[in-house]
Amino acid sequence: MSLKKIFHELLELRDDMGKKSRRAERKHTRRRAKSHIAPEQSLSSLPSPELVQQSQWANLPPELLLDIIQRLEASETSWPARRDVVACASVCRSWREITKEIVKTPEQCGWLTFPISLKQPGPRDAPIQCFIKRERETSTYRLYLGLSPALSGDMSKLLLAARKIRRATSTGFVISLVADEFSRASNTYVGKLRSNFLGSKFTIYDSQPPQNPAIQTNCRSHRRINSKQVSPRVPAGCFSVASVSYELNILRTRGPRRMQCTMQSIPITAVQEGGFAPTPTELSTCLNQKCSPLSTSQGKKPLANLGSSSTTLDLEHGMKDPLILKNKSPRWHEQLQCWCLNFKGRVTVASVKNFQLVASAEPCQNVSLAEQEKVILQFGKIGKDIFTMDYRYPLSAFQAFAICLSSFDTKPACE
């Protein structure tokens, strides 16, 4: 039996099992949150592991199964064909474990496969090219994998989505895996971005704690309790992992914005020779873990503040030497009479939002000049409400998207 025929039978089996599981779920009236194995696919539509574990595919020899998934993973290197690799991980537990062992991180292979890939560092050699579509009516921003909408068309892969929320004293962005669910009580919630009153500083919050144990040990945890309704459990976690600051332009001088990003979850050693960035292996939130009660263990009392119902973790004092990114200084073009940067054809429209970020290091930090000249993140406009976003190691897609979202907010004091 050919590999293609085996895989088609596998998909038919998955669809049959999915129908059975959906019939069983209709009998329950309890509301369940959505859970995703891939950004575009819900686990609720997949067969339960108990049903599939009894099928003939669950009893395949491990050597044969390993060879099948290895061939499939090597042949499907782009979306939407790469969803076949995700389908293998949804068959049963044994298939899932083998698929997770075969699929490499974006840093190693340059491909995005599972949702956890969005929080893992990008490749070192070449950037991952994406684009962002802005919808002014709904204040939403969608991140797609691909060169541009004109080249990708309907085959574009949705990676992340964000919704802008305006408040009296600040502006926030809620980031999700899907484009129609932005509740922080959902399993699709991955993080948020929040500004100060002037819009000159933004804080990036992750839904899961950082991977560096040293950071988690030294961080200060703040638990906030809503003054109107005190709940015994906290619905979602927010861990401060980075901050974006824009330099104030009080004199209103002409020129591009000046920005600086402090990545508290990434050490400066990540861009040194032989260094590495923290790489999470599981996409976990407070929803799929047991939420801690208000009283902590070891007899320690949490710090309670009024006004919010989220758990936040401050990383500003958690890392001694965090990675600092600064925007690359443009040059003045005499003939065009404008500030210019070399985006290598990826940006075609002049905009104050356009930027390139490079590593900023002191001489004592042993970061080579070539590494400091390497563009880690670039963002720019190519059409009406269409922007490109290219990122690479040590940033992840989530971190890069959050930094780019800060450029969309109005900054009267910085322009």
Side-chain angles (χ1 to χ4, degrees), residues 139-142 160-164 173-176 182 401 405:
S139 297
T140 57
Y141 305 82
R142 300 184 182 185
L160 293 168
R163 173 168 291 174
K164 188 175 184 178
F173 295 84
V174 179
I175 305 175
S176 173
F182 295 97
F401 185 46
L405 287 175

Side-chain angles (χ1 to χ4, degrees), residues 206-256:
D206 200 337
S207 61
Q208 63 186 50
Q211 292 299 304
N212 195 332
I215 302 177
Q216 297 185 35
T217 304
N218 297 330
C219 290
R220 298 180 300 169
S221 179
H222 302 272
R223 187 180 303 277
R224 298 180 179 181
I225 308 172
N226 195 316
S227 58
K228 294 183 179 180
Q229 181 180 0
V230 178
S231 173
R233 296 184 183 275
V234 179
C238 292
F239 302 88
S240 172
V241 295
S243 62
V244 184
S245 300
Y246 290 85
E247 184 178 328
L248 296 177
N249 187 11
I250 301 177
L251 299 179
R252 310 294 292 177
T253 58
R254 185 181 179 186

Side-chain angles (χ1 to χ4, degrees), residues 139-337:
S139 297
T140 57
Y141 305 82
R142 300 184 182 185
L143 176 66
Y144 293 92
L145 180 64
L147 296 176
S148 66
L151 297 177
S152 302
D154 296 335
M155 308 302 287
S156 303
K157 174 73 176 78
L158 176 66
L159 299 180
L160 293 168
R163 173 168 291 174
K164 188 175 184 178
I165 302 175
R166 295 184 180 273
R167 296 184 176 89
T169 58
S170 65
T171 301
F173 295 84
V174 179
I175 305 175
S176 173
L177 289 173
V178 295
D180 56 353
E181 179 59 70
F182 295 97
S183 172
R184 289 174 52 194
S186 170
N187 280 341
T188 60
Y189 169 77
V190 294
K192 68 176 183 179
L193 179 73
R194 188 172 62 189
S195 73
N196 61 357
F197 178 74
L198 295 177
S200 60
K201 185 175 181 179
F202 295 79
T203 305
I204 301 175
Y205 296 93
D206 200 337
S207 61
Q208 63 186 50
Q211 292 299 304
N212 195 332
I215 302 177
Q216 297 185 35
T217 304
N218 297 330
C219 290
R220 298 180 300 169
S221 179
H222 302 272
R223 187 180 303 277
R224 298 180 179 181
I225 308 172
N226 195 316
S227 58
K228 294 183 179 180
Q229 181 180 0
V230 178
S231 173
R233 296 184 183 275
V234 179
C238 292
F239 302 88
S240 172
V241 295
S243 62
V244 184
S245 300
Y246 290 85
E247 184 178 328
L248 296 177
N249 187 11
I250 301 177
L251 299 179
R252 310 294 292 177
T253 58
R254 185 181 179 186
R257 295 171 178 170
R258 295 181 177 88
M259 60 186 297
Q260 178 177 291
C261 304
T262 304
M263 313 302 298
Q264 290 99 353
S265 60
I266 304 177
I268 188 63
T269 56
V271 294
Q272 295 176 354
E273 185 177 358
F276 62 91
T279 305
T281 56
E282 295 290 340
L283 189 66
S284 59
T285 62
C286 188
L287 287 173
N288 47 37
Q289 297 176 352
K290 291 185 177 180
C291 296
S292 58
L294 293 182
S295 59
T296 57
S297 60
Q298 301 177 352
K300 295 182 180 180
K301 295 183 179 181
L303 179 64
N305 295 325
L306 299 180
S308 175
S309 61
S310 64
T311 304
T312 63
L313 191 62
D314 186 8
L315 299 181
E316 292 183 358
H317 304 278
M319 181 176 292
K320 183 179 179 181
D321 293 319
L323 174 66
I324 296 178
L325 304 177
K326 65 177 182 178
N327 63 315
K328 193 173 184 179
S329 300
R331 62 180 180 86
W332 179 257
H333 199 289
E334 290 293 341
Q335 295 179 346
L336 299 178
Q337 291 294 301

Side-chain angles (χ1 to χ4, degrees), residues 4-178:
K4 188 174 182 179
K5 187 174 181 181
I6 291 176
F7 187 74
H8 281 300
E9 290 189 9
L10 170 64
L11 293 179
E12 293 177 359
L13 176 65
R14 187 194 66 175
D15 294 338
D16 294 339
M17 294 297 100
K19 294 178 181 177
K20 294 180 181 179
S21 62
R22 284 193 295 270
R23 294 193 194 101
E25 288 180 358
R26 291 193 188 101
K27 298 179 181 179
H28 299 277
T29 58
R30 206 172 39 176
R31 183 179 180 182
R32 300 179 180 178
K34 297 180 181 178
S35 178
H36 292 258
I37 192 171
E40 83 292 340
Q41 193 171 14
S42 173
L43 283 180
S44 60
S45 62
L46 299 178
S48 61
E50 292 77 10
L51 293 176
V52 185
Q53 200 70 35
Q54 301 174 359
S55 67
Q56 55 180 339
W57 301 108
N59 299 323
L60 285 178
E63 296 80 6
L64 176 60
L65 181 58
L66 180 65
D67 182 64
I68 291 175
I69 299 180
Q70 281 180 339
R71 293 186 183 185
L72 183 65
E73 199 272 341
S75 61
E76 309 294 356
T77 59
S78 60
W79 289 90
R82 196 157 178 81
R83 67 179 56 173
D84 296 342
V85 180
V86 180
C88 290
S90 64
V91 176
C92 60
R93 186 176 298 119
S94 59
W95 282 62
R96 181 180 181 86
E97 294 301 324
I98 292 179
T99 305
K100 289 171 63 177
E101 292 178 3
I102 294 175
V103 175
K104 299 179 181 179
T105 63
E107 179 184 354
Q108 297 170 324
C109 65
W111 303 330
L112 299 174
T113 306
F114 297 109
I116 189 60
S117 303
L118 302 175
K119 293 194 174 183
Q120 294 174 338
R124 294 175 181 260
D125 299 331
I128 294 181
Q129 297 177 323
C130 312
F131 65 90
I132 299 175
K133 294 181 66 175
R134 175 177 60 181
E135 296 183 2
R136 297 176 182 268
E137 296 78 8
T138 57
S139 297
T140 57
Y141 305 82
R142 300 184 182 185
L143 176 66
Y144 293 92
L145 180 64
L147 296 176
S148 66
L151 297 177
S152 302
D154 296 335
M155 308 302 287
S156 303
K157 174 73 176 78
L158 176 66
L159 299 180
L160 293 168
R163 173 168 291 174
K164 188 175 184 178
I165 302 175
R166 295 184 180 273
R167 296 184 176 89
T169 58
S170 65
T171 301
F173 295 84
V174 179
I175 305 175
S176 173
L177 289 173
V178 295

